[in-house]
Amino acid sequence: MESAALSRIGLAGLAVMGQNLALNIADKGFPISVYNRTVSKVDETVARATEEGGLPLTGHHSPRDFVLSLSRPRSIIILVKAGPPVDQTIAALSRFLEPGDAIIDGGNEWYEHTERRISEASSQGLLYLGMGVSGGEEGARRGPSLMPGGSRQAFDNVADILSKVAAQVDDGPCVTYVGPGGSGNFVKMVHNGIEYGDMQLISEAYDVLRTIGGLSNQDLADIFDEWNRGELESFLIEITADIFKVKEEHGDGELVDKILDKTGMKGTGKWTVQQAAELSVAAPTIAASLDCRYLSGLKEEREAASGVLEQAGINNEALKASVGAVDKKRLIDDVRQALYASKICSYAQGMNLLRAKSQEKGWNLNLGELARIWKGGCIIRARFLDRIKQAYERNGSLPNLIVDPEFAREMVQRQGAWRRVVGLAIGAGISTPGMCASLSYFDTYRRSRLPANLVQAQRDLFGAHTYERIDRPGSFHTEWTKLARQCKAGLGVHN
Ligand SMILES: *[C@@H]1O[C@H](CO)[C@@H](O)[C@H](O)[C@H]1NC(C)=O
Ligand SMILES: *[C@@H]1O[C@H](CO)[C@@H](O)[C@H](O)[C@H]1NC(C)=O
């Protein structure tokens, strides 16, 4: 099976993403070898390459033939399920690899696994990259956003290929060397956490417009189409408009109304929230979106609870009526602004999580550059990422996106609408956990004095944890209970 000409790069793992990425690479003119343990997958990919006009792709049925078909130093992308399958694939291939060759894992891997594999690979003289790939099937085939981290040399060896294969935007290809260690996987994980937040916020906008505004799916399709021509322009808003248009094939109405309200997940959102907690970074919007997925999973419990609380006296219609008549046009405009402001807070949380991890690990992540490579190809691609990039370019040590002068002005312009939407939803009994979390995040972050003084007093009272004062340095402890008794006794005298 060995052909005389050697391939520039190899790809192992030919499920949908792997096949599409391999075809994309071949399509850009880079000869590629592909391999999968399941021979039919190899043949399928070769057939697709032939159908697409004879792309330079060769299939191999054994790990040895596959590895030996590559020019040196070799670079092999593996796209298999995260976890043990990655270790198995590495084991199968590395027997034939030689020092200087590189393995590039394109899966949604936990970053610590990548760090372990980097050191295992280096003990054999091999280079290793953990590369986040976003964009789904279509992105893999037409141009994904790529987030490679690990060996700089491994990146340099394939930088020309990745630059051509990635999505292209006005300021370059959607790929950059993210940083050392497991940083590529970590950045992809946070990307997915942000994606959870975006999807949650969009679903809340939908809920408010539908439930309080009484809008039809046709109205919603038009509104999302319109939003997609403005500051909210993004992949997720665009596909949401399309979803509202699809008719139900077995009856009247649209398919979206027939879908069971239970959200699935694969784990990267949960990791994001776990990491936020580990790093003591507040990420309430992303956490709210995760919590909402958990609660959505309790469909039967929720149906039972709905019955119990109706019996106990909750009346959905009365709650909805309690907010009075709404001006539809105004509601639509308010929801658009609430969605935008909530989104800024969610991205601020994700970016701060990246910065905290970068500081802990010494990754030296460039937040503006990461916002740039998310502008195309990936699921969270959006016009507004260019503004985030600019904010970090203006000020690399910006502590929070909210205090970038431009974003600060936008948040303030939108806060009236934002508060109206959240207030209306609360009044009507419609849960908007993501928008509420974002607004609370904003209000907590921007207030120079919080009720944390009282919490400190409580901690000092029951645990002698001490407190600091606003008017003099040092740490203090007070015999609160004893003093309170004395004061009470004093009060008694006055009575
Ligand atoms: C090959 O294909 C199978 C089934 O699609 C998959 O489970 C496996 O992980 C793939 N990868 C490799 C490297 O064999
Ligand atoms: C960056 O932002 C911080 C916080 O707002 C500010 O203190 C600092 O002066 C800014 N730096 C520049 C170069 O604008």
Side-chain angles (χ1 to χ4, degrees):
M1 288 232 38
E2 278 174 50
S3 53
L6 296 175
S7 298
R8 194 40 224 290
I9 189 166
L11 190 146
L14 298 170
V16 184
M17 287 290 282
Q19 287 194 13
N20 283 344
L21 190 61
L23 291 170
N24 181 355
I25 293 169
D27 204 10
K28 299 293 165 355
F30 300 101
I32 185 169
S33 296
V34 298
Y35 165 71
N36 196 101
R37 214 175 39 223
T38 313
V39 168
S40 62
K41 293 274 167 198
V42 177
D43 299 342
E44 206 177 297
T45 313
V46 171
R48 280 184 69 187
T50 310
E51 275 164 34
E52 297 197 21
L55 300 177
L57 180 147
T58 54
H60 300 270
H61 290 172
S62 85
R64 183 177 176 278
D65 287 348
F66 170 61
V67 170
L68 296 182
S69 74
L70 304 173
S71 63
R72 296 193 60 202
R74 302 183 181 92
S75 301
I76 298 181
I77 298 176
I78 59 181
L79 266 169
V80 297
K81 215 162 139 355
V86 176
D87 292 304
Q88 287 153 15
T89 309
I90 293 170
L93 300 174
S94 59
R95 293 173 51 208
F96 309 105
L97 293 173
E98 294 166 86
D101 292 348
I103 294 169
I104 305 170
D105 173 20
N108 267 333
E109 189 54 275
W110 173 237
Y111 82 98
E112 286 179 338
H113 291 171
T114 293
E115 302 205 323
R116 165 175 59 78
R117 290 175 191 138
I118 287 174
S119 70
E120 287 168 1
S122 86
S123 70
Q124 292 183 63
L126 300 178
L127 313 178
Y128 198 91
L129 276 179
M131 179 170 75
V133 179
S134 176
E137 288 175 40
E138 180 68 14
R141 180 65 186 86
R142 304 280 156 215
S145 174
L146 299 173
M147 296 154 247
S151 160
R152 175 84 215 198
Q153 183 62 54
F155 172 78
D156 288 340
N157 290 351
V158 290
D160 58 334
I161 301 179
L162 300 184
S163 302
K164 285 264 169 51
V165 161
Q168 309 291 319
V169 290
D170 51 0
D171 46 11
C174 292
V175 59
T176 192
Y177 174 69
V178 168
S183 60
N185 294 124
F186 194 90
V187 166
K188 173 62 179 7
M189 176 198 80
V190 174
H191 163 285
N192 286 21
I194 291 174
E195 177 185 312
Y196 274 48
D198 273 357
M199 293 168 77
Q200 175 65 27
L201 292 170
I202 290 173
S203 75
E204 293 174 15
Y206 156 62
D207 200 6
V208 169
L209 290 175
R210 171 184 64 158
T211 313
I212 301 178
L215 301 189
S216 67
N217 289 325
Q218 182 54 56
D219 296 335
L220 287 160
D222 293 343
I223 289 160
F224 275 76
D225 271 336
E226 188 188 316
W227 287 356
N228 199 41
R229 291 190 289 270
E231 65 190 8
L232 283 170
E233 181 191 325
S234 57
F235 172 70
L236 285 169
I237 294 285
E238 181 189 331
I239 63 164
T240 304
D242 285 344
I243 287 168
F244 292 127
K245 294 171 193 164
V246 175
K247 299 276 178 241
E248 162 57 31
E249 60 172 325
H250 304 294
D252 292 339
E254 290 77 29
L255 176 58
V256 66
D257 293 325
K258 296 290 184 295
I259 296 180
L260 183 67
D261 49 332
K262 260 171 110 164
T263 314
M265 67 187 112
K266 286 195 175 156
T268 42
K270 176 171 158 184
W271 291 346
T272 306
V273 174
Q274 284 173 327
Q275 280 295 300
E278 290 285 342
L279 291 157
S280 307
V281 172
T285 312
I286 299 170
S289 63
L290 183 69
D291 288 340
C292 228
R293 290 195 183 194
Y294 292 148
L295 287 169
S296 83
L298 308 176
K299 174 70 173 172
E300 285 175 17
E301 260 184 76
R302 286 188 289 112
E303 280 178 333
S306 164
V308 170
L309 289 157
E310 264 170 43
Q311 287 250 297
I314 279 225
N315 180 334
N316 287 323
E317 289 311 312
L319 271 175
K320 230 192 295 172
S322 74
V323 301
V326 293
D327 173 346
K328 262 193 207 182
K329 233 181 128 159
R330 164 123 180 231
L331 180 70
I332 294 165
D333 199 52
D334 279 356
V335 170
R336 177 183 56 77
Q337 298 187 53
L339 180 53
Y340 187 77
S342 298
K343 212 171 128 113
I344 295 174
C345 287
S346 179
Y347 280 66
Q349 296 160 28
M351 287 302 190
N352 282 6
L353 176 52
L354 288 176
R355 172 165 26 221
K357 194 67 180 183
S358 176
Q359 279 162 357
E360 182 197 81
K361 303 285 288 183
W363 283 341
N364 200 20
L365 297 182
N366 179 338
L367 300 184
E369 178 66 356
L370 295 178
R372 187 191 69 76
I373 65 167
W374 290 342
K375 279 172 58 180
C378 65
I379 305 297
I380 65 171
R381 62 182 183 261
R383 178 196 283 199
F384 126 113
L385 279 159
D386 191 58
R387 316 259 332 282
I388 296 183
K389 180 197 90 164
Q390 289 171 22
Y392 285 111
E393 278 174 2
R394 275 193 289 276
N395 187 344
S397 51
L398 194 64
N400 193 305
L401 273 182
I402 294 171
V403 297
D404 166 71
E406 278 195 21
F407 280 119
R409 200 167 45 243
E410 289 185 348
M411 306 282 290
V412 173
Q413 280 164 355
R414 285 159 185 73
Q415 63 155 342
W418 196 7
R419 293 182 199 286
R420 280 195 294 278
V421 170
V422 168
L424 203 57
I426 289 173
I430 306 300
S431 53
T432 49
M435 287 187 185
C436 284
S438 277
L439 182 54
S440 302
Y441 179 79
F442 175 68
D443 279 335
T444 304
Y445 187 69
R446 72 172 178 79
R447 289 178 72 208
S448 58
R449 184 141 173 96
L450 291 172
N453 53 329
L454 185 63
V455 175
Q456 281 299 79
Q458 291 165 335
R459 295 178 67 240
D460 188 52
L461 183 150
F462 64 68
H465 293 299
T466 75
Y467 56 90
E468 291 174 291
R469 295 182 57 109
I470 56 175
D471 55 353
R472 63 183 89 143
S475 81
F476 299 85
H477 170 61
T478 296
E479 295 293 330
W480 297 92
T481 310
K482 199 171 105 197
L483 291 172
R485 297 266 146 73
Q486 284 169 11
C487 294
K488 201 167 160 195
L491 283 177
V493 170
H494 286 291
N495 281 349

